[in-house]
Every structure is written in C-alpha cells, then in structure tokens.
Amino acid sequence: MTKALILDFGGVVTRTLFETHGVTERALGLAPGTLTWKGPFDPSTDPLWQRMQNREITERDYWMERTRETGRLIGEDWTDMKTFVQRARGAEPDLVLRPEARETILAAKAAGVKLAILSNELDLFYGVDFRKRFPLIDLFDVIVDATYTGILKPDPRAYEQAIAEIQVAKENCVFVDDQKKNIEGADAVGLPNVHFDVTRPAESYAEARAMLGL
C-alpha cells in the first residue's frame, strides 16, 4: 500500500522566523533583542499574531507587515516577503531546515512513502532560488504552491490538487500544517492530518510518523 506525507513548508519544514530572531539580528546588524514579536511562542508579545489567529487578517497580511517594519529598522523599503527571508537568514537554507523535518523526510523516503509540499506561499515568501537550493527539496515528488495555483488553503481544491498529483488515496495520506484553519480544511475533505505545534516539533513529527507506520 503506497502512502504519502504532505507537508506545509513554512514553520513545518523550516524553523519559523520567530525561532531565528538571533540569526536575523546578526544578519541585519541589529542589536540583540531588537525583535520582540514571538508569535506562537509568546502570543502576549504579538498582538498582530493574535489578530491573525482570530482571522482578522491573513497569514500573508501578517508577514507583509513584519517585512515592512523589519526593513524600516535598517532604513530600507521591503515590499516582498522573500527579501525578508533572504536578508534575515543570509540566503542560507541549511540554517532553517528543522532537524526533525530532515529525519522524517529521510525516513519516509527510505520507506517508500511519497512526499509532497502543499504551501500557500513557498516561492512568494522564499523565492525560487532559495527553494531550488533548499536541502532535500529534490526528494519531494510533488510541490503544490499557491504562488502559482492561486488556490489558498483552506480551500478544498488545494488539498484535492495535492492528493490528485501525489496519486495516493487520501486515506493513506498524512497532511501536516501549523495553522489551525488549514487543518480544519483538511478535516473538511477527509484528509488525515497532524496539527503541527511549532513549539513541540519533535512530538508533531513523531505523531505523523506513527500515522504512516514509520
């Protein structure tokens, strides 16, 4: 029986920007502690994150505001998320791959599990060059990116496209995402899933591996 692991990218495969403030501050020449917003790691520091969780603004809205304000800190006008990602992380993809993601992706591939990415903004946020150089990206059989499809999770069509392209029955797939609304979208189409907790990545990946029998 063929199985498939379908992963969101930002926050699931990569460490979040919240987790790499130190890297960002060093890369941009900012004093340690300049960046105080911590999203899910401390919602009290981040009213804008709370607005996103309350669905008052979209995830794209959230990150575009963080992009603009971080650019202003160094006297620059940043108008796209990939500028933030590439400048903040020195365009070094190895710095941001989650170790737990690496372990699970390699284990899945070795076991013959198909691999897919289902992202709302992979190339929009990270840029084509970053994605092409990202570790293990060539192990993925399918990448469905709303940068090009224009279909954003939790729209049912996003999940249906990923399932169709990976060519595995949905009951044999496991979808992993850190946004609750996207998990609700997976539930709506009957796609087995794990709600990824960015504060407990090892536990979330262990759950996904158990569901796949790895």
PDB file of all heavy atoms in Angstrom, residues 118-132:
ATOM      1  N   LEU A 118       2.565  21.163   0.255  1.00  0.00           N
ATOM      2  CA  LEU A 118       1.354  21.922  -0.057  1.00  0.00           C
ATOM      3  C   LEU A 118       1.465  23.249   0.681  1.00  0.00           C
ATOM      4  O   LEU A 118       1.265  23.317   1.887  1.00  0.00           O
ATOM      5  CB  LEU A 118       0.098  21.157   0.359  1.00  0.00           C
ATOM      6  CG  LEU A 118      -1.233  21.893   0.152  1.00  0.00           C
ATOM      7  CD1 LEU A 118      -1.431  22.296  -1.300  1.00  0.00           C
ATOM      8  CD2 LEU A 118      -2.405  21.035   0.638  1.00  0.00           C
ATOM      9  N   SER A 119       1.825  24.296  -0.056  1.00  0.00           N
ATOM     10  CA  SER A 119       2.144  25.584   0.561  1.00  0.00           C
ATOM     11  C   SER A 119       1.308  26.705  -0.033  1.00  0.00           C
ATOM     12  O   SER A 119       1.001  26.700  -1.226  1.00  0.00           O
ATOM     13  CB  SER A 119       3.637  25.897   0.357  1.00  0.00           C
ATOM     14  OG  SER A 119       3.951  27.200   0.801  1.00  0.00           O
ATOM     15  N   ASN A 120       0.980  27.673   0.806  1.00  0.00           N
ATOM     16  CA  ASN A 120       0.276  28.854   0.311  1.00  0.00           C
ATOM     17  C   ASN A 120       1.227  29.884  -0.292  1.00  0.00           C
ATOM     18  O   ASN A 120       0.780  30.777  -1.005  1.00  0.00           O
ATOM     19  CB  ASN A 120      -0.513  29.521   1.451  1.00  0.00           C
ATOM     20  CG  ASN A 120      -1.860  28.877   1.673  1.00  0.00           C
ATOM     21  OD1 ASN A 120      -2.246  27.947   0.966  1.00  0.00           O
ATOM     22  ND2 ASN A 120      -2.593  29.354   2.664  1.00  0.00           N
ATOM     23  N   GLU A 121       2.519  29.787   0.007  1.00  0.00           N
ATOM     24  CA  GLU A 121       3.401  30.879  -0.397  1.00  0.00           C
ATOM     25  C   GLU A 121       4.877  30.484  -0.469  1.00  0.00           C
ATOM     26  O   GLU A 121       5.749  31.259  -0.112  1.00  0.00           O
ATOM     27  CB  GLU A 121       3.255  32.071   0.561  1.00  0.00           C
ATOM     28  CG  GLU A 121       3.633  31.797   2.015  1.00  0.00           C
ATOM     29  CD  GLU A 121       2.538  31.122   2.801  1.00  0.00           C
ATOM     30  OE1 GLU A 121       1.433  31.658   2.902  1.00  0.00           O
ATOM     31  OE2 GLU A 121       2.829  30.027   3.303  1.00  0.00           O
ATOM     32  N   LEU A 122       5.175  29.285  -0.924  1.00  0.00           N
ATOM     33  CA  LEU A 122       6.569  28.835  -0.946  1.00  0.00           C
ATOM     34  C   LEU A 122       7.469  29.795  -1.726  1.00  0.00           C
ATOM     35  O   LEU A 122       8.374  30.415  -1.164  1.00  0.00           O
ATOM     36  CB  LEU A 122       6.654  27.422  -1.535  1.00  0.00           C
ATOM     37  CG  LEU A 122       8.046  26.823  -1.735  1.00  0.00           C
ATOM     38  CD1 LEU A 122       8.895  26.908  -0.489  1.00  0.00           C
ATOM     39  CD2 LEU A 122       7.937  25.382  -2.205  1.00  0.00           C
ATOM     40  N   ASP A 123       7.237  29.954  -3.015  1.00  0.00           N
ATOM     41  CA  ASP A 123       8.105  30.838  -3.793  1.00  0.00           C
ATOM     42  C   ASP A 123       7.824  32.307  -3.532  1.00  0.00           C
ATOM     43  O   ASP A 123       8.722  33.149  -3.643  1.00  0.00           O
ATOM     44  CB  ASP A 123       7.974  30.537  -5.286  1.00  0.00           C
ATOM     45  CG  ASP A 123       8.742  29.278  -5.693  1.00  0.00           C
ATOM     46  OD1 ASP A 123       9.368  28.651  -4.816  1.00  0.00           O
ATOM     47  OD2 ASP A 123       8.709  28.922  -6.886  1.00  0.00           O
ATOM     48  N   LEU A 124       6.585  32.636  -3.159  1.00  0.00           N
ATOM     49  CA  LEU A 124       6.246  34.022  -2.853  1.00  0.00           C
ATOM     50  C   LEU A 124       7.080  34.525  -1.680  1.00  0.00           C
ATOM     51  O   LEU A 124       7.598  35.642  -1.696  1.00  0.00           O
ATOM     52  CB  LEU A 124       4.759  34.146  -2.527  1.00  0.00           C
ATOM     53  CG  LEU A 124       4.276  35.549  -2.139  1.00  0.00           C
ATOM     54  CD1 LEU A 124       4.305  36.475  -3.338  1.00  0.00           C
ATOM     55  CD2 LEU A 124       2.871  35.492  -1.551  1.00  0.00           C
ATOM     56  N   PHE A 125       7.205  33.714  -0.640  1.00  0.00           N
ATOM     57  CA  PHE A 125       7.926  34.127   0.560  1.00  0.00           C
ATOM     58  C   PHE A 125       9.426  33.855   0.469  1.00  0.00           C
ATOM     59  O   PHE A 125      10.232  34.665   0.904  1.00  0.00           O
ATOM     60  CB  PHE A 125       7.370  33.399   1.787  1.00  0.00           C
ATOM     61  CG  PHE A 125       6.114  33.992   2.358  1.00  0.00           C
ATOM     62  CD1 PHE A 125       5.397  34.971   1.682  1.00  0.00           C
ATOM     63  CD2 PHE A 125       5.637  33.564   3.579  1.00  0.00           C
ATOM     64  CE1 PHE A 125       4.229  35.503   2.207  1.00  0.00           C
ATOM     65  CE2 PHE A 125       4.474  34.097   4.130  1.00  0.00           C
ATOM     66  CZ  PHE A 125       3.773  35.064   3.439  1.00  0.00           C
ATOM     67  N   TYR A 126       9.803  32.707  -0.081  1.00  0.00           N
ATOM     68  CA  TYR A 126      11.203  32.286  -0.014  1.00  0.00           C
ATOM     69  C   TYR A 126      11.982  32.577  -1.288  1.00  0.00           C
ATOM     70  O   TYR A 126      13.212  32.676  -1.246  1.00  0.00           O
ATOM     71  CB  TYR A 126      11.276  30.789   0.310  1.00  0.00           C
ATOM     72  CG  TYR A 126      10.852  30.480   1.722  1.00  0.00           C
ATOM     73  CD1 TYR A 126       9.514  30.285   2.040  1.00  0.00           C
ATOM     74  CD2 TYR A 126      11.791  30.396   2.744  1.00  0.00           C
ATOM     75  CE1 TYR A 126       9.119  30.017   3.338  1.00  0.00           C
ATOM     76  CE2 TYR A 126      11.405  30.124   4.043  1.00  0.00           C
ATOM     77  CZ  TYR A 126      10.068  29.941   4.336  1.00  0.00           C
ATOM     78  OH  TYR A 126       9.678  29.682   5.629  1.00  0.00           O
ATOM     79  N   GLY A 127      11.294  32.688  -2.411  1.00  0.00           N
ATOM     80  CA  GLY A 127      11.971  32.928  -3.671  1.00  0.00           C
ATOM     81  C   GLY A 127      12.386  31.628  -4.348  1.00  0.00           C
ATOM     82  O   GLY A 127      12.664  30.628  -3.688  1.00  0.00           O
ATOM     83  N   VAL A 128      12.416  31.646  -5.670  1.00  0.00           N
ATOM     84  CA  VAL A 128      12.725  30.447  -6.443  1.00  0.00           C
ATOM     85  C   VAL A 128      14.140  29.953  -6.152  1.00  0.00           C
ATOM     86  O   VAL A 128      14.368  28.750  -5.973  1.00  0.00           O
ATOM     87  CB  VAL A 128      12.560  30.717  -7.951  1.00  0.00           C
ATOM     88  CG1 VAL A 128      13.002  29.517  -8.774  1.00  0.00           C
ATOM     89  CG2 VAL A 128      11.101  31.073  -8.269  1.00  0.00           C
ATOM     90  N   ASP A 129      15.092  30.862  -6.067  1.00  0.00           N
ATOM     91  CA  ASP A 129      16.485  30.457  -5.848  1.00  0.00           C
ATOM     92  C   ASP A 129      16.646  29.758  -4.509  1.00  0.00           C
ATOM     93  O   ASP A 129      17.309  28.719  -4.413  1.00  0.00           O
ATOM     94  CB  ASP A 129      17.403  31.677  -5.911  1.00  0.00           C
ATOM     95  CG  ASP A 129      18.865  31.303  -5.723  1.00  0.00           C
ATOM     96  OD1 ASP A 129      19.400  30.582  -6.581  1.00  0.00           O
ATOM     97  OD2 ASP A 129      19.463  31.725  -4.714  1.00  0.00           O
ATOM     98  N   PHE A 130      16.025  30.303  -3.466  1.00  0.00           N
ATOM     99  CA  PHE A 130      16.086  29.691  -2.137  1.00  0.00           C
ATOM    100  C   PHE A 130      15.499  28.286  -2.178  1.00  0.00           C
ATOM    101  O   PHE A 130      16.096  27.334  -1.681  1.00  0.00           O
ATOM    102  CB  PHE A 130      15.311  30.563  -1.142  1.00  0.00           C
ATOM    103  CG  PHE A 130      15.399  30.129   0.301  1.00  0.00           C
ATOM    104  CD1 PHE A 130      16.279  30.748   1.164  1.00  0.00           C
ATOM    105  CD2 PHE A 130      14.584  29.119   0.797  1.00  0.00           C
ATOM    106  CE1 PHE A 130      16.355  30.367   2.496  1.00  0.00           C
ATOM    107  CE2 PHE A 130      14.646  28.726   2.116  1.00  0.00           C
ATOM    108  CZ  PHE A 130      15.541  29.358   2.972  1.00  0.00           C
ATOM    109  N   ARG A 131      14.343  28.158  -2.811  1.00  0.00           N
ATOM    110  CA  ARG A 131      13.683  26.847  -2.878  1.00  0.00           C
ATOM    111  C   ARG A 131      14.530  25.825  -3.631  1.00  0.00           C
ATOM    112  O   ARG A 131      14.677  24.677  -3.210  1.00  0.00           O
ATOM    113  CB  ARG A 131      12.310  27.000  -3.536  1.00  0.00           C
ATOM    114  CG  ARG A 131      11.481  25.709  -3.537  1.00  0.00           C
ATOM    115  CD  ARG A 131      11.296  25.185  -4.938  1.00  0.00           C
ATOM    116  NE  ARG A 131      10.694  26.164  -5.816  1.00  0.00           N
ATOM    117  CZ  ARG A 131      10.768  26.093  -7.133  1.00  0.00           C
ATOM    118  NH1 ARG A 131      11.432  25.118  -7.713  1.00  0.00           N
ATOM    119  NH2 ARG A 131      10.207  27.011  -7.891  1.00  0.00           N
ATOM    120  N   LYS A 132      15.123  26.250  -4.738  1.00  0.00           N
ATOM    121  CA  LYS A 132      15.930  25.312  -5.522  1.00  0.00           C
ATOM    122  C   LYS A 132      17.143  24.806  -4.747  1.00  0.00           C
ATOM    123  O   LYS A 132      17.601  23.682  -4.972  1.00  0.00           O
ATOM    124  CB  LYS A 132      16.382  25.970  -6.833  1.00  0.00           C
ATOM    125  CG  LYS A 132      15.275  26.118  -7.860  1.00  0.00           C
ATOM    126  CD  LYS A 132      15.796  26.741  -9.138  1.00  0.00           C
ATOM    127  CE  LYS A 132      14.714  26.797 -10.212  1.00  0.00           C
ATOM    128  NZ  LYS A 132      15.199  27.439 -11.453  1.00  0.00           N
TER     129      LYS A 132
END
